[in-house]
Amino acid sequence: MNGAQVVVEALKREGVKYIFGYPGGACMPIFDALLDAPELELVLVRHEQGGTHMADGYARATGKPGVVLVTSGPGATNTVTGLLTSQMDSIPLIVLTGQTITPNLGKDAFQEADIFGVTMPVVKHSYLVKDVNDLPKVMKEAFHLATTGRPGPVLIDLPKDVVSAECTSNFPENTDLPGYEVPMKGNADDIVRAADIIMESRCPLLYVGAGAVGAGAAKEVLELAEKLQAPVTTTLLGKGAFPETHELSVGMLGMHGTAYANKAVVGCDMIMAIGARWDDRITGKVSEFCPTASKIHIDIDPAEFGKIIQPDVSINGDARLVLQELIPHVHKLDSGPWLKSVASWKKKYPLKYPKRGGLRAQHVLDELDRLSESRGIISTDVGQHQMWAAQFCKSSRERQWLSSGGAGTMGYGFPAAIGAQLGCPNDLVVAVVGDGGFQMTLAELSTAALQRVPIKILIIDNRYLGMIRQWQELFFDQRLSGCELEGNPDFVKLGEAYCVKGFRIRRAGDVTKVLKKALAYNDGPCIIHAEVVKEDNVFPMIPAGAAVKDMLIEKPKDRKLEKPVGST
């Protein structure tokens, strides 16, 4: 068995079904070996970045690692954006890159790039395999590292002479990685201390992030919230870890979270982070974040403890297992007055949008949520449409919300939806994208059409980089610079060029009718081109670097806003 055959056999042993790839000279032996493995389905993408986002979307929707196969040089470097996206959001990915032959390493050979060095800051781990007999062990370790502890991407760089050589070593049954430990249940004393703090609370708040989704902790979060009678807020990537249709849900918190979630953050006397990392879009001005509340932090990665917020108790472990240990130590809190306050904020500050003045993105997304009964898998790009989708498209279960959080990667949503649909063929999958982000990876229309995945590509077209325009309007005296997307194509006609069905929405009165037709169309992908009003803004909003209490419910009419001190 040569090295390429070892790689393919290892993928089969790990239960891989799809490989998202693009060939080139250095990885030809592996593509050749794939011809003899019909159980592995190669999805030929149109760009390596798109392939990496597809594998990422597959992983987020299924909980299984996504696999990418590309060639050396630019083929490998084109995966860097996808690797960063997965690393920032802790998504398990295996990226296999071809490489020049080992005698040529470091000699600027054709299509040589030091991808091991280039990607070191954006992977959980990286390998450059120089001996074919190391391959079985490396492949086993890579899947173990990508999927255990805090998940993340692992890159394996494969010189062409290595994958062409004969391998004499056996496939290991287990891994042997001294020093690599996977936290599980959490320290018992820490759990008791956390329970004591919880039981002293009268205004509790559970703050749930992507770590709870990755751990499969939704059942335990629900049990804890109902037992305590504590409201629950989720991060952008924690959507679905607690059903947003539940009466205890206050939706997403942070920069564009609901007003009532942010009011709860200000008013709580105890906040417990479950698999969430106190992101700067959540905390705003750190020194004024929950200043009087006790803080408990549960996380699989001990490096997160005290990085931004110093907790009163930190518990290192798997969120699901820690909650299972914690729940028997707590009982119902006297939180009645607190829940009444939260209910009053929900009533006073509902999510809303103008009903007149043209087609509104919020209206389209609100109606999509209603027609799909909050059951569809939603994949988004980054920008205004992402925040509106997070606000109006509720998640009722885990792995229903796919979005680039930490990296904020434009161009992510559409290819990620292709991967999600392949992994979840019986689910409704909708890519909610902006006109800017969609044009970064639209070449994957070919991939979607050839795979006949029935995804709905909802393009929120306001002919602007909307979030940039919003910031320039609010904080830069409306001095608009580089944000107007002149030259946008007719997206319906563009879809037709790729043999993709198109629908168009121009009037508010047509939203329901057109969405119904699109949702009923299942003969391959379709585009829904929503031509929305140009200058709408996302509210609520906490200016970057400001305190949560400084949240804006709407655009101030009587004062000029200072430039934000935070990044974005």
Side-chain angles (χ1 to χ4, degrees), residues 49 66 152 155 299 330 376 538:
Q49 180 187 347
L155 182 136
D299 207 291
V330 299
V538 184

Side-chain angles (χ1 to χ4, degrees), residues 546-562:
V548 175
K549 64 180 175 56
D550 296 325
M551 171 178 57
L552 303 172
I553 302 298
E554 58 186 7
K555 181 181 177 181
K557 297 174 182 171
D558 54 354
R559 66 186 172 97
K560 181 180 174 182
L561 295 171
E562 299 294 327

Side-chain angles (χ1 to χ4, degrees), residues 197-424:
I197 291 175
I198 292 170
M199 296 318 301
E200 292 175 359
S201 171
R202 295 296 177 268
C203 304
L205 181 65
L206 304 184
Y207 153 49
V208 185
V213 176
K219 174 176 171 290
E220 287 73 17
V221 173
L222 178 64
E223 183 180 351
L224 179 63
E226 291 184 336
K227 189 173 187 179
L228 295 176
Q229 284 298 288
V232 181
T233 183
T234 65
T235 65
L236 176 70
L237 299 186
K239 279 171 67 71
F242 186 79
E244 293 180 292
T245 49
H246 195 287
E247 62 178 1
L248 288 171
S249 172
V250 291
M252 185 177 74
L253 78 166
M255 181 177 282
H256 290 296
T258 65
Y260 35 94
N262 289 327
K263 292 280 183 184
V265 168
V266 174
C268 70
D269 65 3
M270 188 283 297
I271 183 168
M272 183 164 75
I274 304 170
R277 60 184 176 86
W278 315 99
D279 171 74
D280 59 302
R281 280 200 160 197
I282 298 299
T283 61
K285 190 174 184 179
V286 173
S287 62
E288 296 187 24
F289 180 75
C290 293
T292 61
S294 300
K295 302 174 185 68
I296 300 169
H297 193 178
I298 300 170
D299 207 291
I300 193 78
D301 185 354
E304 293 296 335
F305 298 141
K307 189 172 82 175
I308 297 171
I309 294 289
Q310 186 62 49
D312 294 279
V313 178
S314 54
I315 306 172
N316 182 208
D318 175 274
R320 181 174 60 85
L321 299 179
V322 170
L323 292 184
Q324 288 176 355
E325 295 291 314
L326 174 66
I327 287 170
H329 292 281
V330 299
H331 54 76
K332 182 179 178 181
L333 298 172
D334 182 15
S335 60
W338 170 239
L339 294 180
K340 285 184 179 177
S341 295
V342 172
S344 69
W345 291 327
K346 282 186 175 181
K347 187 175 181 180
K348 186 174 181 180
Y349 302 106
L351 290 170
K352 60 183 180 180
Y353 51 87
K355 304 295 183 185
R356 296 180 178 175
L359 179 62
R360 304 281 176 172
Q362 304 96 310
H363 177 191
V364 178
L365 294 165
D366 197 17
E367 189 64 359
L368 171 66
D369 183 65
R370 188 185 72 82
L371 292 174
S372 63
E373 299 177 331
S374 306
R375 293 178 180 171
I377 294 175
I378 304 293
S379 175
T380 80
D381 261 5
V382 171
Q384 285 185 314
H385 70 277
Q386 177 193 33
M387 293 298 115
W388 282 320
Q391 291 176 342
F392 289 93
C393 295
K394 296 181 177 63
S395 295
S396 57
R397 60 177 172 81
E398 296 170 301
R399 304 197 177 283
Q400 195 182 351
W401 174 260
L402 321 177
S403 195
S404 172
T409 305
M410 291 179 67
Y412 170 83
F414 167 45
I418 297 173
Q421 187 76 83
L422 289 170
C424 305

Side-chain angles (χ1 to χ4, degrees), residues 63-259:
K64 303 173 185 175
V67 177
V68 179
L69 172 61
V70 299
T71 193
S72 61
T77 57
N78 281 344
T79 67
V80 173
T81 300
L83 284 165
L84 171 67
T85 305
S86 302
Q87 172 73 351
M88 290 288 279
D89 295 346
S90 306
I91 305 302
L93 219 62
I94 303 292
V95 176
L96 306 167
T97 53
Q99 182 56 278
T100 187
I101 58 175
T102 52
N104 281 353
L105 288 172
K107 297 178 181 176
D108 297 331
F110 178 67
Q111 288 193 333
E112 182 191 3
D114 177 14
I115 197 65
F116 179 90
V118 167
T119 59
M120 187 60 76
V122 294
V123 294
K124 183 175 180 180
H125 194 67
S126 191
Y127 294 92
L128 168 59
V129 184
K130 293 183 177 179
D131 184 338
V132 67
N133 286 315
D134 290 339
L135 260 179
K137 172 174 167 287
V138 166
M139 293 295 293
K140 186 73 177 178
E141 287 179 1
F143 275 88
H144 181 65
L145 289 170
T147 57
T148 57
R150 182 174 184 167
V154 176
L155 182 136
I156 309 174
D157 201 21
L158 298 163
K160 189 174 181 180
D161 56 329
V162 170
V163 294
S164 301
E166 286 299 309
C167 177
T168 58
S169 59
N170 297 320
F171 288 94
E173 293 297 324
N174 301 301
T175 56
D176 181 17
L177 291 167
Y180 179 72
E181 297 180 359
V182 179
M184 299 304 286
K185 288 185 176 181
N187 180 278
D189 291 340
D190 291 339
I191 290 172
V192 171
R193 286 173 57 208
D196 289 343
I197 291 175
I198 292 170
M199 296 318 301
E200 292 175 359
S201 171
R202 295 296 177 268
C203 304
L205 181 65
L206 304 184
Y207 153 49
V208 185
V213 176
K219 174 176 171 290
E220 287 73 17
V221 173
L222 178 64
E223 183 180 351
L224 179 63
E226 291 184 336
K227 189 173 187 179
L228 295 176
Q229 284 298 288
V232 181
T233 183
T234 65
T235 65
L236 176 70
L237 299 186
K239 279 171 67 71
F242 186 79
E244 293 180 292
T245 49
H246 195 287
E247 62 178 1
L248 288 171
S249 172
V250 291
M252 185 177 74
L253 78 166
M255 181 177 282
H256 290 296
T258 65

